[in-house]
Amino acid sequence: MISRRLADWTLLFVVLFTIAYFFLSHEGLYAIDDYFYSRYAHQLISGTFRVAPDPQGLLHDPLKERPMIYGPVALCYLLFGINIISSTLWPLLATLGCAVLFWKLYRRREPVVAATAMLLLGLHYFTLNLTNYLYPDNILMFWCLAGSAALLVGRRAEARKVAWGMGFAGLSFAALLSKETIVYYLPFYLAVLGRDAWRRQNLRFWVAAMASGLVLLSAYLAFYQLFTNDALYRLHLIEHTNEFLKEGNYLLGNRAALMGRITWQPLAFFIGTGLGPLLLLAIAALLQPAAPDSDKRFWLGLGFSTLLFFWVGSTSLSQYNPITLLPRMTTPLLPPLALAAGYGLRTLLRTGKGVALVALDLLLCAGGCTMVFRCYMVV
């Protein structure tokens, strides 16, 4: 039997490795995004931050509408001074927080699942790379994982369902204040709500979640109505940004690439960025039966529904424009797929069925990753 200490030692290794990477590879500010976030954080502590939009009606910076990115950075500035380490401490803490959540959820019941998820997520190059830049993606990943974990645990809890429901709503709202792509989790959340409503289960949890969410959303819309005279200002800002960038989207300036973008390109992208093994093990979990009390179906459902919207969804309501295939855009996908992959690996280790096939597929993924890397180097 695999020791339950496996998850403990894995967490220690991932935390130490991530912190070492953070300090040894730190380069400072990377691009204009982290400059803007750090500037807003400085404005908060200096009292010069302004909520109102540009009075000239020019394209307003959408990064300003993500206070859960620069707000905690402002707190870091107050605690540790204004420097490059305190500017990027929040992404590091969010990344480490994901590993801690994996450990907390499954260190006792499923140590192999916990260890696998921590390794696949924590040692993924782009997860590490995003720890030392002030970008929203690992922060969003933490809120996504925390919210989905609250949904899972809160529905199963015997007591304090109201508190869990309120926590789920609050964590999801924090994700919304970090980056808009939390919306890719919404279809799965609605499906779980519909299932519970049909079976008349977890009603106290959902009433508390919906009531809390309604209060938060109403306050959010009222805030924008007060300061911008437009309750849907953030939505209109997103649409305005898409309109501003329409020459590069897939229906106008880049129409010829649309078919490839929604068919084979995402798969090549996942293999090329080193996510092939994670996807492969998650698919293996999908093909294996789940125990009645297993959480595997929850993470599979969340992971693959989010993957579907990443693959063919749109960043705009007014025009079809799939999300850019950049590694940092995948962070909401990674926690549920990493946990699903953990279940896949655990079953393979227990039964031994399909190990040879998975090993062959992993070699093919490695070969595909090498080919994609060489193509990028040539270009």
Side-chain angles (χ1 to χ4, degrees), residues 279-345:
L279 279 177
L280 183 63
L281 289 172
I283 292 172
L286 184 64
L287 300 176
Q288 298 159 355
D293 60 342
S294 174
D295 296 337
K296 184 176 75 171
R297 291 178 181 173
F298 179 90
W299 297 115
L300 281 170
L302 178 57
F304 281 102
S305 64
T306 308
L307 176 62
L308 176 64
F309 280 87
F310 179 88
W311 205 296
V312 298
S314 175
T315 61
S316 169
L317 295 175
S318 61
Q319 51 189 310
Y320 183 60
N321 190 22
I323 197 168
T324 308
L325 291 178
L326 292 175
R328 68 185 185 89
M329 300 297 181
T330 64
T331 49
L333 290 167
L334 300 184
L337 287 179
L339 286 167
Y343 280 102
L345 180 62

Side-chain angles (χ1 to χ4, degrees), residues 36-51:
F36 275 130
Y37 289 129
S38 60
R39 186 182 69 173
Y40 294 145
H42 178 265
Q43 289 175 352
L44 282 176
I45 63 173
S46 63
T48 59
F49 184 83
R50 295 293 178 265
V51 177

Side-chain angles (χ1 to χ4, degrees), residues 86-239:
S86 59
S87 296
T88 51
L89 189 60
W90 176 217
L92 171 66
L93 294 175
T95 308
L96 296 176
C98 291
V100 172
L101 285 174
F102 286 153
W103 174 80
K104 180 66 175 177
L105 283 169
Y106 294 113
R107 74 184 191 276
R108 297 184 184 277
R109 292 193 299 134
E110 298 284 1
V112 173
V113 172
T116 303
M118 283 188 279
L119 291 173
L120 287 174
L121 182 70
L123 300 188
H124 179 50
Y125 169 74
F126 293 104
T127 300
L128 289 167
N129 182 251
L130 288 167
T131 59
N132 51 20
Y133 299 118
L134 185 49
Y135 270 61
D137 306 284
N138 281 17
I139 299 168
L140 172 68
M141 179 173 67
F142 170 74
W143 292 124
C144 286
L145 176 58
S148 57
L151 174 62
L152 174 69
V153 176
R155 291 169 62 248
R156 188 174 57 204
E158 296 295 333
R160 299 196 300 172
K161 282 189 176 292
V162 172
W164 279 109
M166 295 174 64
F168 167 63
L171 291 167
S172 299
F173 186 68
L176 178 63
L177 297 184
S178 299
K179 195 175 180 182
E180 301 80 5
T181 44
I182 179 59
V183 73
Y184 286 175
Y185 273 34
L186 183 60
F188 177 77
Y189 288 167
L190 292 176
V192 176
L193 170 59
R195 176 183 180 275
D196 283 355
W198 178 261
R199 298 185 176 185
R200 298 182 181 276
Q201 296 176 338
N202 306 307
L203 297 183
R204 292 178 60 203
F205 172 90
W206 284 112
V207 169
M210 290 189 292
S212 302
L214 183 61
V215 170
L216 290 171
L217 189 59
S218 298
Y220 186 59
L221 297 178
F223 172 86
Y224 277 115
Q225 181 64 38
L226 176 64
F227 284 98
T228 69
N229 293 317
D230 180 8
L232 300 179
Y233 174 75
R234 190 175 180 187
L235 177 61
H236 294 153
L237 177 60
I238 295 170
E239 294 300 321

